[in-house]
Amino acid sequence: MNTTFRNFWASRTDKHSYHRIRNAYLRAIQKATQDHWNTVVQNTNPSFLWQTVRKALPKLPASLATINGATSFENKVQVLRHTFFTDNGSSLQHQHSDSLAGFHTVTQGKVLKALEAILPNLTPGHDTLPPSVWIRLHKIRPNTLTNMTDWLLCSPTLSIILQLVLTMVIPKLGKPDYLLTKAYRIISLLPTLSKTIEHVALARMTVFAANCLLPLQFTCRKGYSPLDAMHLILENVYKVSNDKLYSSALFLNIQGAFAKVLHQWLPEIMTNNNFPPYLVDWVQSFLSDRSVRITDSVASKPYFIPIQVGIPQGSPLSLFLFNIYSSLLCHNYQRLGVELMLSYVNNYCRLAILVLWQ
């Protein structure tokens, strides 16, 4: 596999052949893992196996534990809101252009494709309507949802009902202390109609991604995977070692990355990289005036709380928008004397090549 990867980056292997070999390699690993565990299961007493699995899995709290000293659910919500939705205090907003330049009408096929892209087992938002209901409606009355999506996509102001988000507080696995906020993550449960429009918008934004994204930003890019990123790092280290040089790598992780995206910067980055004005306006409207209702599946906030920062984690757009937002960091890496910089979601690697080990 490493030889194939080196040939691919040296242009000795075409892209399709590399992807075919890589996928076969991954399928072989998956099959070997499945065969191993199938053998274990077949040769193990079922009762003993179940007891082993129960002991191995961490026991997560059924509801929110005491967090940063807060005991009541109301106080816990305030702590979580301050941690995950901190208001940056800026009132600057992108000015809508009200221009529909580059807009084209949404088709019935695009809406159906967007609906089918939503995983059927995903929990719906506060509308409680799963994708299967919307797919059935679209097949019976295709013009209804198509016209609705078309209107909401070209409108500079998103409907308020689509900006109400149910947010689920989920404990992270393997954390030593569930009394701290960093042991939890916030997942947004969006209305299915909102996810449909987001998938349609994502397909249109992807066309303009090359205007600002570098080839080594691996997030949300067709044909790219974390395995490709790791192979690229190892290939560069291998090459440097053969040339009798030294390499030094710095790995970075941005904690709470999605919750820290500033709404006023993202439209500016998109405008500077020639995204159509109607998409820039729509993204600003999608992010602005959003309200959340926090729940832990046991208790729930009775009303929605307005937030002014962050991208909803769990949205079809979240990975792509964060990739756009963080593109400036990747563009400036050469000023720092770094030979290679690549990223995957909120994880970054900077690789420097040195003549002397200092």
Side-chain angles (χ1 to χ4, degrees), residues 2 10 21 36 40 70 76 136 140 153 163 186 207 213 243 274 280 286 289-290 293 302:
N2 288 335
I21 296 173
H36 167 74
V40 171
K76 295 173 190 175
R136 197 175 303 118
I140 297 173
L153 191 59
Q163 294 179 308
I186 295 283
V207 177
L213 298 183
D243 292 339
N274 300 318
V280 179
F286 171 74
D289 301 321
R290 186 169 289 276
R293 182 159 63 92

Side-chain angles (χ1 to χ4, degrees), residues 9-23:
W9 282 99
S11 300
R12 291 192 294 267
T13 301
D14 63 271
K15 181 178 180 180
H16 296 290
S17 298
Y18 166 68
H19 286 166
R20 177 175 51 79
I21 296 173
R22 182 198 64 183
N23 293 339

Side-chain angles (χ1 to χ4, degrees), residues 198 320 326 333:
E198 291 168 47
F320 182 83
S326 61
Y333 76 93

Side-chain angles (χ1 to χ4, degrees), residues 183-289:
Y184 298 86
R185 63 165 51 91
I186 295 283
I187 299 296
S188 298
L189 305 180
L190 302 169
T192 303
L193 177 58
S194 177
K195 293 178 184 177
T196 304
I197 301 169
E198 291 168 47
H199 274 292
V200 174
L202 176 61
R204 297 187 176 202
M205 292 181 200
T206 305
V207 177
F208 303 93
N211 293 351
C212 59
L213 298 183
L214 293 176
L216 299 185
Q217 286 184 265
F218 283 71
T219 310
C220 205
R221 308 283 292 277
K222 186 176 181 179
Y224 289 74
S225 71
L227 183 63
D228 295 324
M230 291 305 303
H231 273 302
L232 182 58
I233 296 172
L234 295 175
E235 170 64 16
N236 277 268
V237 171
Y238 177 81
K239 181 179 178 182
V240 167
S241 177
N242 283 346
D243 292 339
K244 307 301 182 183
L245 299 175
Y246 297 94
S247 59
S248 177
L250 174 65
F251 294 89
L252 304 173
N253 174 271
I254 300 180
Q255 186 176 6
F258 293 96
K260 292 180 172 61
V261 172
L262 301 180
H263 293 173
Q264 64 270 24
W265 283 13
L266 190 54
E268 182 179 348
I269 295 173
M270 294 177 66
T271 300
N272 293 338
N273 287 280
N274 300 318
F275 280 77
Y278 81 92
L279 283 178
V280 179
D281 292 346
W282 187 88
V283 167
Q284 177 63 49
S285 178
F286 171 74
L287 296 176
S288 302
D289 301 321

Side-chain angles (χ1 to χ4, degrees), residues 40 179 240 253 256 341 344 347:
V40 171
L179 302 180
V240 167
N253 174 271
M341 179 167 181
Y344 191 81
N347 298 287

Side-chain angles (χ1 to χ4, degrees), residues 27-304:
R27 284 194 295 268
I29 293 177
Q30 185 180 28
K31 186 178 184 304
T33 303
Q34 291 175 346
D35 291 344
H36 167 74
W37 284 112
N38 287 338
T39 303
V40 171
V41 171
Q42 290 172 2
N43 299 327
T44 305
N45 182 283
S47 176
F48 176 77
L49 179 64
W50 173 240
Q51 292 175 4
T52 303
V53 171
R54 288 185 62 184
K55 292 179 180 179
L57 293 176
K59 186 177 181 181
L60 298 176
S63 61
L64 293 180
T66 300
I67 303 179
N68 288 9
T71 55
S72 69
F73 182 76
E74 183 72 25
N75 291 337
K76 295 173 190 175
V77 168
Q78 294 299 327
V79 171
L80 291 169
R81 182 190 178 190
H82 178 74
T83 302
F84 293 103
F85 306 111
T86 304
D87 190 351
N88 66 333
S90 176
S91 60
L92 295 175
Q93 293 290 336
H94 165 74
Q95 297 297 321
H96 290 293
S97 65
D98 295 326
S99 170
L100 291 179
F103 178 81
H104 52 277
T105 303
V106 178
T107 64
Q108 296 177 7
K110 295 295 183 182
V111 173
L112 181 59
K113 185 177 180 180
L115 284 169
E116 291 175 342
I118 304 173
L119 297 178
N121 59 341
L122 289 181
T123 305
H126 64 89
D127 62 346
T128 70
L129 297 176
S132 57
V133 174
W134 288 101
I135 292 176
R136 197 175 303 118
L137 171 64
H138 185 61
K139 290 182 178 179
I140 297 173
R141 294 285 188 271
N143 289 332
T144 302
L145 190 54
T146 301
N147 293 339
M148 192 183 302
T149 304
D150 188 81
W151 176 72
L152 289 171
L153 191 59
C154 69
S155 174
T157 304
L158 196 63
S159 174
I160 295 178
I161 193 66
L162 299 181
Q163 294 179 308
L164 302 178
V165 181
L166 183 65
T167 56
M168 179 73 71
V169 183
I170 300 178
K172 298 178 181 178
L173 291 174
K175 293 298 179 181
D177 189 357
Y178 287 97
L179 302 180
L180 304 177
T181 54
K182 65 181 181 180
Y184 298 86
R185 63 165 51 91
I186 295 283
I187 299 296
S188 298
L189 305 180
L190 302 169
T192 303
L193 177 58
S194 177
K195 293 178 184 177
T196 304
I197 301 169
E198 291 168 47
H199 274 292
V200 174
L202 176 61
R204 297 187 176 202
M205 292 181 200
T206 305
V207 177
F208 303 93
N211 293 351
C212 59
L213 298 183
L214 293 176
L216 299 185
Q217 286 184 265
F218 283 71
T219 310
C220 205
R221 308 283 292 277
K222 186 176 181 179
Y224 289 74
S225 71
L227 183 63
D228 295 324
M230 291 305 303
H231 273 302
L232 182 58
I233 296 172
L234 295 175
E235 170 64 16
N236 277 268
V237 171
Y238 177 81
K239 181 179 178 182
V240 167
S241 177
N242 283 346
D243 292 339
K244 307 301 182 183
L245 299 175
Y246 297 94
S247 59
S248 177
L250 174 65
F251 294 89
L252 304 173
N253 174 271
I254 300 180
Q255 186 176 6
F258 293 96
K260 292 180 172 61
V261 172
L262 301 180
H263 293 173
Q264 64 270 24
W265 283 13
L266 190 54
E268 182 179 348
I269 295 173
M270 294 177 66
T271 300
N272 293 338
N273 287 280
N274 300 318
F275 280 77
Y278 81 92
L279 283 178
V280 179
D281 292 346
W282 187 88
V283 167
Q284 177 63 49
S285 178
F286 171 74
L287 296 176
S288 302
D289 301 321
R290 186 169 289 276
S291 298
V292 301
R293 182 159 63 92
I294 299 177
T295 178
D296 66 348
S297 75
V298 176
S300 179
K301 191 77 174 174
Y303 53 86
F304 287 88

